[in-house]
Amino acid sequence: MNAITLLDYAGVTVFAATGALAASRKQLDIIGYLFLASVTGIGGGTFRDLILGVPVFWVGNRVYVLICALVAVLVFFTAYRIESRYKLLLWLDAVGLAAFSVMGAAKGLAITGSPVVAIVTGVLTATFGGILRDLLAGEPSVLLKPEIYVSAALAGAAVFTLGALVGLPPYAADLAGFVA
Amino acid sequence: MNAITLLDYAGVTVFAATGALAASRKQLDIIGYLFLASVTGIGGGTFRDLILGVPVFWVGNRVYVLICALVAVLVFFTAYRIESRYKLLLWLDAVGLAAFSVMGAAKGLAITGSPVVAIVTGVLTATFGGILRDLLAGEPSVLLKPEIYVSAALAGAAVFTLGALVGLPPYAADLAGFVA
Amino acid sequence: MNAITLLDYAGVTVFAATGALAASRKQLDIIGYLFLASVTGIGGGTFRDLILGVPVFWVGNRVYVLICALVAVLVFFTAYRIESRYKLLLWLDAVGLAAFSVMGAAKGLAITGSPVVAIVTGVLTATFGGILRDLLAGEPSVLLKPEIYVSAALAGAAVFTLGALVGLPPYAADLAGFVA
């Protein structure tokens, strides 16, 4: 479970950072940073848990909200540096997508046993946070450039689900979905 | 139950088609078609089930997601023909609204017994998928032309609920709500 | 519990009024008023209840939906008067925020026992209805002027939660959060 938990924290951190950067582009105050970082970081997983009918992950574990808050504060004080490293951010965004599509697919598969549902929850978990961020910040949705976004999430979720179905041990399936 | 199930599949198919057509208008790739078709086709029912506190309908029955995927692929390869038949689409959209407002009201009434809730869930089920589609595609919300949209859903849900309350057999109430 | 219930009804009423006024600005018909008033009035609490995994508050108590409908009809026939009293509205909006941030924090704290979750649900409850209203009406999100909106909600939720933690009797904590 260690690899999954690490992926999970990494994904929340990275997405929270992209939310905080959106707040920076809109020149919001610290509260706007906190809000957008949280929505982006935990929005996708929240929606996944609601649909699967399980308790929302961050209600039982305050670490997630605190990660979002910490990232928001860090970006608030360092945004001018991070924005000049925009390519690093795009790469990190891809890491977050890969991590969350695997996480979402793994949870969907574990709870329902259905590969179709696993793929849908993988895509949802990976994309919903970013979609909310763009809606709330009034920017064009990332969905409208899907070649680099939803496609990546779909590939990650599908590869993980296939890997799990053909009997790969979880760690190998994680890795395959993540690399895809 | 046969009439309800038919209405249900018909509604999902028609709304998925409108989502795929929105993807066509935005010139998205096949992934964008799949995403918008699914969101529009199953979004309203998902929200209804979350609010009623019952399992989300498509998690236990993969047919719905597969319908959305099939419709997305079909529209992807034939969109140029369908768009030239825009009037057919508007008529189909009305069919979807009528079907979903009855479905949503029926489920709300069955689970809570409250006509007020039945009307709200009928309207939600019928309109939420289209609202999400427009938000995500960056188009003006259908809500802003409510005379042909929310009104139709409200009429369908209200007529069905009234019909059910005065003791019409379910089939007749379905029909009345649908015709309205 | 009386003070909380009063706050709750007051918050729903005030937010429903702001939703109906948004419908007025967009020159929608009566259905648009009903829809936006309901979404704004009960949207934040709906989201809070979904995340906490408890039954959605208005499904079991039809009063909330009826308040929204009543407010929508009242505003529909009197909007020209209310809009000329815009400052009154802003003040009422602040009342709604204060009421809902306390309500949301109280419910989050009662159900999970976690102050972190209480603050998040307080902010969510207070802001989500207005965010939905702006998204659906196609207006710039209130989130983009957070200094007067999310900040107020955060302050209310935080003060209430702190008050409850240090052992203030609930009534005093309500009052403190509300005044903040």
Side-chain angles (χ1 to χ4, degrees):
Chain A
M1 212 51 179
N2 225 7
I4 281 281
T5 305
L6 246 168
L7 273 184
D8 200 15
Y9 288 149
V12 169
T13 305
V14 169
F15 275 123
T18 70
L21 283 170
S24 160
R25 284 194 293 274
K26 292 284 167 183
Q27 305 189 300
L28 302 182
D29 63 11
I30 179 68
I31 304 294
Y33 279 71
L34 288 169
F35 196 91
L36 281 181
S38 303
V39 163
T40 314
I42 65 182
T46 300
F47 205 50
R48 172 201 63 207
D49 290 347
L50 291 178
I51 282 174
L52 292 175
V54 298
V56 174
F57 68 106
W58 54 265
V59 169
N61 181 350
R62 77 179 72 181
V63 171
Y64 295 100
V65 173
L66 295 179
I67 286 178
C68 293
L70 191 67
V71 167
V73 171
L74 277 178
V75 173
F76 184 71
F77 287 112
T78 63
Y80 63 95
R81 290 199 202 170
I82 294 176
E83 272 184 307
S84 66
R85 294 178 190 170
Y86 193 67
K87 278 185 187 170
L88 172 66
L89 180 81
L90 283 185
W91 191 83
L92 286 176
D93 206 13
V95 172
L97 270 174
F100 271 19
S101 62
V102 168
M103 276 296 301
K107 199 160 182 180
L109 193 61
I111 288 168
T112 71
S114 155
V116 171
V117 171
I119 289 175
V120 174
T121 54
V123 173
L124 266 184
T125 309
T127 61
F128 201 71
I131 287 172
L132 272 179
R133 175 195 63 209
D134 293 344
L135 279 178
L136 295 178
E139 304 201 323
S141 176
V142 288
L143 183 71
L144 301 181
K145 14 178 180 159
E147 64 283 357
I148 49 168
Y149 207 78
V150 182
S151 310
L154 185 60
V159 168
F160 168 81
T161 307
L162 277 176
L165 283 182
V166 299
L168 282 182
Y171 181 79
D174 291 353
L175 195 71
F178 188 79
V179 170
Chain B
M1 212 50 179
N2 226 7
I4 281 280
T5 306
L6 247 168
L7 273 184
D8 200 14
Y9 288 149
V12 170
T13 305
V14 169
F15 274 122
T18 70
L21 284 169
S24 160
R25 284 194 294 274
K26 292 285 168 182
Q27 305 190 298
L28 302 182
D29 63 11
I30 180 69
I31 303 295
Y33 279 72
L34 288 168
F35 196 91
L36 280 181
S38 302
V39 163
T40 315
I42 64 182
T46 300
F47 205 50
R48 173 201 62 206
D49 290 348
L50 290 179
I51 282 173
L52 292 175
V54 297
V56 174
F57 67 107
W58 55 265
V59 169
N61 181 351
R62 75 179 73 180
V63 171
Y64 294 101
V65 173
L66 295 178
I67 287 178
C68 292
L70 191 67
V71 167
V73 171
L74 277 177
V75 173
F76 184 70
F77 287 112
T78 63
Y80 62 95
R81 291 199 201 170
I82 294 175
E83 271 184 305
S84 66
R85 291 178 191 171
Y86 194 67
K87 278 186 187 169
L88 173 66
L89 179 83
L90 282 186
W91 191 84
L92 286 175
D93 206 14
V95 173
L97 270 175
F100 271 19
S101 63
V102 168
M103 276 296 303
K107 199 161 183 179
L109 194 60
I111 288 169
T112 70
S114 156
V116 171
V117 172
I119 289 175
V120 174
T121 54
V123 173
L124 265 184
T125 310
T127 60
F128 201 72
I131 287 171
L132 272 180
R133 175 194 63 209
D134 294 344
L135 278 179
L136 295 179
E139 302 200 323
S141 175
V142 288
L143 183 72
L144 299 181
K145 13 179 180 162
E147 63 283 358
I148 49 168
Y149 206 80
V150 182
S151 310
L154 186 61
V159 168
F160 168 80
T161 307
L162 277 176
L165 283 182
V166 299
L168 280 183
Y171 181 82
D174 291 352
L175 195 70
F178 188 79
V179 170
Chain C
M1 211 52 178
N2 226 8
I4 281 280
T5 306
L6 246 167
L7 273 184
D8 199 14
Y9 288 149
V12 170
T13 305
V14 169
F15 275 122
T18 69
L21 283 169
S24 160
R25 282 194 295 274
K26 292 284 167 181
Q27 305 190 300
L28 302 182
D29 63 11
I30 180 69
I31 303 294
Y33 279 72
L34 288 169
F35 197 91
L36 281 181
S38 302
V39 163
T40 314
I42 65 182
T46 300
F47 205 50
R48 173 201 62 208
D49 290 347
L50 290 179
I51 282 173
L52 292 175
V54 298
V56 174
F57 67 106
W58 54 266
V59 169
N61 182 351
R62 76 180 71 181
V63 171
Y64 294 100
V65 174
L66 295 178
I67 286 179
C68 292
L70 191 67
V71 168
V73 171
L74 277 178
V75 173
F76 183 71
F77 288 112
T78 63
Y80 62 95
R81 291 199 202 170
I82 294 176
E83 271 183 307
S84 66
R85 292 179 191 172
Y86 194 68
K87 279 187 185 167
L88 173 66
L89 180 82
L90 282 185
W91 192 84
L92 286 176
D93 206 15
V95 173
L97 270 175
F100 270 21
S101 63
V102 168
M103 276 296 302
K107 200 159 181 180
L109 193 60
I111 288 169
T112 71
S114 155
V116 171
V117 172
I119 289 176
V120 174
T121 55
V123 173
L124 265 183
T125 309
T127 60
F128 201 72
I131 287 172
L132 272 179
R133 175 193 63 209
D134 293 343
L135 278 179
L136 296 179
E139 303 199 324
S141 175
V142 287
L143 182 71
L144 300 181
K145 14 180 178 157
E147 63 282 357
I148 48 169
Y149 206 79
V150 182
S151 310
L154 185 62
V159 169
F160 168 80
T161 306
L162 277 175
L165 283 183
V166 299
L168 280 182
Y171 181 81
D174 292 352
L175 196 69
F178 187 79
V179 170

